[in-house]
Amino acid sequence: MPSVDMPLQELRNYTSVAKEPHDFDAFWEATLAEVTSIPLAPAYTPVENLLPLIDSYDVSFAGYGGARIRGWLHLPAHRSPGHRLPAVVQYIGYSGGRGLVQEDTKWAQAGYAHFIMDTRGQGYGGITGDTPDPHPSAGGVAHPGLMTRGLAAKEDYYYRRLYVDAFRAIETVQSFPQVDADNVVLAGISQGGGLALAAAGLAAGRLDGIRAALADVPFLQDFPRAINLAQRGPYPEIAAFLSRHRDRHEHALEVLNYFDGVHLARRATAPALFSVALLDDVCPPSTVFASYNSYGTGSPRQSGQGPAKSIEIYHFNGHEGGQEHHWVRQLEYLQGHLAR
């Protein structure tokens, strides 16, 4: 079998060389304190979706800096009066947005409240988006794409804003009257999987009710290895930028270290289901295992054990991962982790 990374037996024990900055927790504590001083101000507007079995709402809320972040909320149309639904908060893959209102309602079809967060400044590749990124650093020197936007300083880096948006998306869906705030799942593929892990880490000890994280071939993990190994996709944007800005290599890694999903995954406390594809040259398997092996290890429960976690391995797949087969696995997984 062709290989893009180390053998599976080595992957199972792999840990990232990235070491947490000494002020990592202080940085994120200050970041969240700054944004939570801004009212969330969620708004839900019913919209016609031409789907008789699904009710949909056009949602907005105040994300990082107070910027209005868009989203779709889908609910099964035929639901019991007064019954509050478990919710899946879905984050989107790189370059995509929330799409058309009818485009993705699969979790609502399965009986969940399904919230899709639009991704600020994205929605230009494959799936449309509606949320701009108004931050001043968005116009700075950068490689085309998002990976180097604001990379000059951790305070300005693009993913600081996006991670905060992902955190506030949880608060937004929990505020909806027909959602069971004690039964929320975070989910996503690629960048969406990375955002699910980041949000799970940031929510630990701050937001109750997160029952599971579903991280499918997650992106934004183990930056030191990823930017040297990934052959396609967003990680090479960083390498391309540094090939011209040769004097910024060390500083760029210092900034990226504050956003490495390996560190945030370590703080998560919710049970998790990961997936990895062993021929993935966009999110190399070792970067996924770095996050999986780290997940929950920084937040042991009173028993001394971290949260339950498992990983599905797709031996002959690339970045497409398990696709429809993995969604079936996720449906099965949630049956054991949510009160219905």
Side-chain angles (χ1 to χ4, degrees):
M1 181 179 71
S3 175
V4 299
D5 210 329
M6 60 184 67
L8 180 57
Q9 60 269 26
E10 295 181 23
L11 291 171
R12 292 188 185 278
N13 298 307
Y14 173 72
T15 56
S16 174
V17 299
K19 303 300 181 185
E20 293 179 11
H22 72 277
D23 61 343
F24 183 86
D25 286 318
F27 171 75
W28 282 109
E29 193 65 42
T31 295
L32 293 176
E34 176 184 324
V35 74
T36 52
S37 68
I38 301 170
L40 184 65
Y44 305 89
T45 304
V47 294
E48 175 57 62
N49 61 18
L50 304 177
L51 303 174
L53 301 181
I54 303 293
D55 292 337
S56 296
Y57 296 81
D58 188 354
V59 179
S60 68
F61 63 93
Y64 181 88
R68 297 302 294 180
I69 308 301
R70 307 289 294 275
W72 297 124
L73 177 63
H74 304 298
L75 304 174
H78 304 296
R79 53 191 182 274
S80 302
H83 177 65
R84 295 192 302 161
L85 297 168
V88 175
V89 179
Q90 178 182 337
Y91 304 109
I92 304 301
Y94 190 77
S95 83
R98 67 175 181 167
L100 303 179
V101 67
Q102 305 88 352
E103 198 159 351
D104 183 1
T105 64
K106 66 181 184 182
W107 287 109
Q109 294 173 48
Y112 298 89
H114 180 186
F115 183 67
I116 304 173
M117 187 190 84
D118 203 16
T119 311
R120 64 164 67 211
Q122 299 191 32
Y124 56 85
I127 305 176
T128 57
D130 298 307
T131 303
D133 180 16
H135 195 270
S137 70
V141 176
H143 186 277
L146 287 307
M147 297 307 298
T148 59
R149 181 174 289 185
L151 189 56
K154 63 181 182 294
E155 292 80 9
D156 293 335
Y157 188 49
Y158 171 77
Y159 280 97
R160 183 187 190 209
R161 305 190 287 281
L162 195 52
Y163 286 2
V164 167
D165 294 345
F167 177 88
R168 300 216 93 184
I170 303 170
E171 297 179 294
T172 298
V173 76
Q174 287 181 319
S175 73
F176 192 73
Q178 297 180 57
V179 165
D180 182 354
D182 291 326
N183 275 292
V184 176
V185 176
L186 312 179
I189 303 170
S190 193
Q191 176 185 256
L195 291 176
L197 293 174
L202 292 175
R206 298 184 176 96
L207 294 178
D208 295 327
I210 311 303
R211 296 298 172 217
L214 308 177
D216 197 356
V217 290
F219 175 51
L220 304 167
Q221 316 300 307
D222 195 7
F223 280 112
R225 183 167 176 83
I227 63 177
N228 282 288
L229 186 60
Q231 301 171 36
R232 298 186 299 118
Y235 288 123
E237 292 179 19
I238 301 171
F241 177 79
L242 295 177
S243 74
R244 300 307 307 161
H245 297 274
R246 299 171 176 86
D247 58 333
R248 300 193 186 186
H249 178 217
E250 186 172 325
H251 179 68
L253 288 178
E254 290 175 356
V255 171
L256 291 169
N257 203 22
Y258 287 87
F259 306 92
D260 199 317
V262 170
H263 305 326
L264 287 163
R266 185 174 294 116
R267 287 158 170 77
T269 56
L273 173 64
F274 282 66
S275 78
V276 63
L278 298 189
L279 301 184
D280 191 344
D281 61 352
V282 174
C283 293
S286 56
T287 67
V288 176
F289 270 97
S291 184
Y292 174 73
N293 292 332
S294 172
Y295 189 88
T297 59
S299 302
R301 298 182 178 181
Q302 290 182 351
S303 64
Q305 301 296 318
K309 59 185 178 183
S310 59
I311 187 166
E312 291 290 317
I313 300 172
Y314 296 98
H315 292 260
F316 296 97
N317 292 94
H319 195 54
E320 75 279 4
Q323 297 180 310
E324 68 278 8
H325 300 277
H326 192 64
W327 188 55
V328 174
R329 175 70 183 94
Q330 290 175 329
L331 288 170
E332 295 169 342
Y333 180 84
L334 291 186
Q335 287 181 353
H337 287 86
L338 291 179
R340 299 298 298 272

